[in-house]
Amino acid sequence: MKNYIAVTYLFVCTCRLASAFMTPITNSCRVARIHSKTYHQLSVASQSRLLPGLTQEHIDTLSHKGYVVIPNFLPRDLVDELRDDILRLRSGGAFREAKIGQDSTNNLNKSIRIAETCFIGRNRPELIRIIGSDSIRDRESGLYDVLDGLCDSLSGICSKESEARLDNSLTELLYVYYPSGGFYRRHRDSIPNSASVLRKYSLLLYLNKEGWTPQTDAGQLRIHLDGGGDAVPDGVKPNFVDVDPLGGTLVLFKSELIPHEVLDTNSERFALVGWYNRAVTAADIGSLGEAGSSGMIRMGMLAVALLMVTFGVTSIIGH
């Protein structure tokens, strides 16, 4: 019975991926990315003035410490427009209660996480129906162009450190809304033997209102540096850094390296969350297959992995 349930779940995942991505949207996304890269090449000087990006100091800090915090990465007017985008999408019914876990264990657990999420990305029809095709995300020099630029910079780190290349077609992006009283307990973004192992760099971009204060609003990001996973190792003294979620602040960290959590909020909290994923390898597909105990489960895992290669991982892993 357990095997039947597992295979059924994998079949549903496969169908969800196929129905979500085997459409002209895929080609549109590819064209949009090509256009973005071409635009960068044709007008590097003007883009460098318009789009925020990483400095060499930021890149060095991320490489050496495993994380970097960049205050005022986005200008205030863009922060406010993106927060308005969240509010419009939320009022239009695009947000869902956030779940936890990976793959088949993905479930709702309000003792670990209280938040709402909305998956975003270029040319998503469910978002266009609510806001239209000219959102602040889609516009030239808007959110997606900024995030593509970040991916290019991070790809340079991978090349320099001889690591697996990033595949921007697998990038995952979502808006996250925390109500007053929301939180997300300590966790990791990249878990071995799950689809999330592809996550190389995590990003958090805060979109809170001006005037946020630690005492009144709370909801800081806590970055754990004790060397543990989902808990502090036995006999190790807690070691962490708290980051104030000020509007415009960008946080980047290595997904497999940094456990983190969102402390309890006293007011609404707005953010963009994302993961830059590396390319899928034959070893990844093999490890996913080994997670199943039967031939049918292995075949299902391989089918899902194949769709991951083609269409991305967003629909089958928890956030």
Side-chain angles (χ1 to χ4, degrees):
M1 182 64 180
K2 291 182 179 179
N3 286 349
Y4 173 78
I5 293 173
V7 171
T8 301
Y9 166 78
L10 290 166
F11 176 76
V12 170
C13 286
T14 303
C15 292
R16 286 178 62 197
L17 276 172
S19 62
F21 294 101
M22 291 181 69
T23 66
I25 296 171
T26 305
N27 291 331
S28 298
C29 291
R30 289 172 180 165
V31 170
R33 291 190 182 99
I34 291 170
H35 167 77
S36 176
K37 290 182 179 180
T38 302
Y39 184 78
H40 276 283
Q41 293 169 352
L42 292 177
S43 56
V44 174
S46 61
Q47 284 292 83
S48 65
R49 292 192 299 268
L50 294 173
L51 294 181
L54 300 181
T55 67
Q56 189 59 51
E57 182 180 0
H58 298 149
I59 292 172
D60 291 343
T61 299
L62 178 59
S63 296
H64 297 146
K65 296 176 64 175
Y67 74 94
V68 63
V69 180
I70 308 173
N72 302 311
F73 179 78
L74 286 187
R76 172 52 58 179
D77 59 343
L78 184 53
V79 170
D80 292 341
E81 285 190 86
L82 290 170
R83 188 175 60 256
D84 288 342
D85 192 44
I86 290 178
L87 293 172
R88 291 176 64 192
L89 289 172
R90 189 165 178 263
S91 65
F95 277 71
R96 299 289 182 270
E97 284 189 285
K99 297 182 179 182
I100 64 165
Q102 305 297 328
D103 306 332
S104 60
T105 65
N106 187 229
N107 61 77
L108 187 67
N109 188 333
K110 290 188 176 182
S111 68
I112 296 178
R113 188 181 194 185
I114 294 179
E116 299 174 18
T117 58
C118 170
F119 292 103
I120 63 173
R122 294 185 190 270
N123 303 301
R124 292 184 72 101
E126 70 275 20
L127 306 185
I128 293 173
R129 282 194 295 269
I130 298 173
I131 290 184
S133 59
D134 188 35
S135 73
I136 186 58
R137 289 169 280 109
D138 298 286
R139 293 173 200 163
E140 189 174 282
S141 301
L143 178 64
Y144 296 138
D145 283 354
V146 172
L147 298 177
D148 283 348
L150 283 178
C151 187
D152 290 342
S153 296
L154 295 174
S155 294
I157 299 178
C158 292
S159 298
K160 186 177 180 180
E161 298 181 354
S162 300
E163 297 176 341
R165 65 179 179 85
L166 297 183
D167 186 340
N168 201 18
S169 68
L170 298 181
T171 295
E172 308 165 68
L173 301 171
L174 64 156
Y175 281 144
V176 181
Y177 167 83
Y178 285 87
S180 179
F183 56 83
Y184 194 176
R185 303 306 181 213
R186 176 169 171 156
H187 64 283
R188 293 165 293 164
D189 286 346
S190 179
I191 306 297
N193 298 317
S194 78
S196 68
V197 75
L198 298 179
R199 292 172 174 170
K200 189 66 181 176
Y201 293 102
S202 301
L203 75 92
L204 297 163
L205 189 53
Y206 294 113
L207 306 173
N208 293 316
K209 295 179 181 178
E210 195 168 11
W212 181 95
T213 61
Q215 298 79 12
T216 302
D217 301 298
Q220 293 94 332
L221 170 71
R222 177 161 292 178
I223 296 175
H224 292 280
L225 304 172
D226 50 42
D230 292 339
V232 179
D234 292 338
V236 175
K237 184 178 180 180
N239 179 21
F240 56 82
V241 173
D242 286 347
V243 178
D244 292 341
L246 299 176
T249 296
L250 172 68
V251 182
L252 293 168
F253 56 87
K254 295 184 177 181
S255 301
E256 80 284 358
L257 185 65
I258 304 292
H260 54 287
E261 64 180 300
V262 176
L263 303 182
D264 295 52
T265 61
N266 294 332
S267 61
E268 292 181 310
R269 185 180 185 275
F270 303 84
L272 168 86
V273 175
W275 298 272
Y276 292 113
N277 290 280
R278 60 174 175 79
V280 181
T281 66
D284 295 322
I285 297 175
S287 65
L288 284 173
E290 290 168 5
S293 59
S294 74
M296 289 184 68
I297 293 177
R298 180 176 173 80
M299 283 191 348
M301 295 294 278
L302 292 175
V304 172
L306 179 60
L307 284 171
M308 284 164 44
V309 175
T310 309
F311 302 115
V313 300
T314 296
S315 294
I316 62 172
I317 56 183
H319 305 286

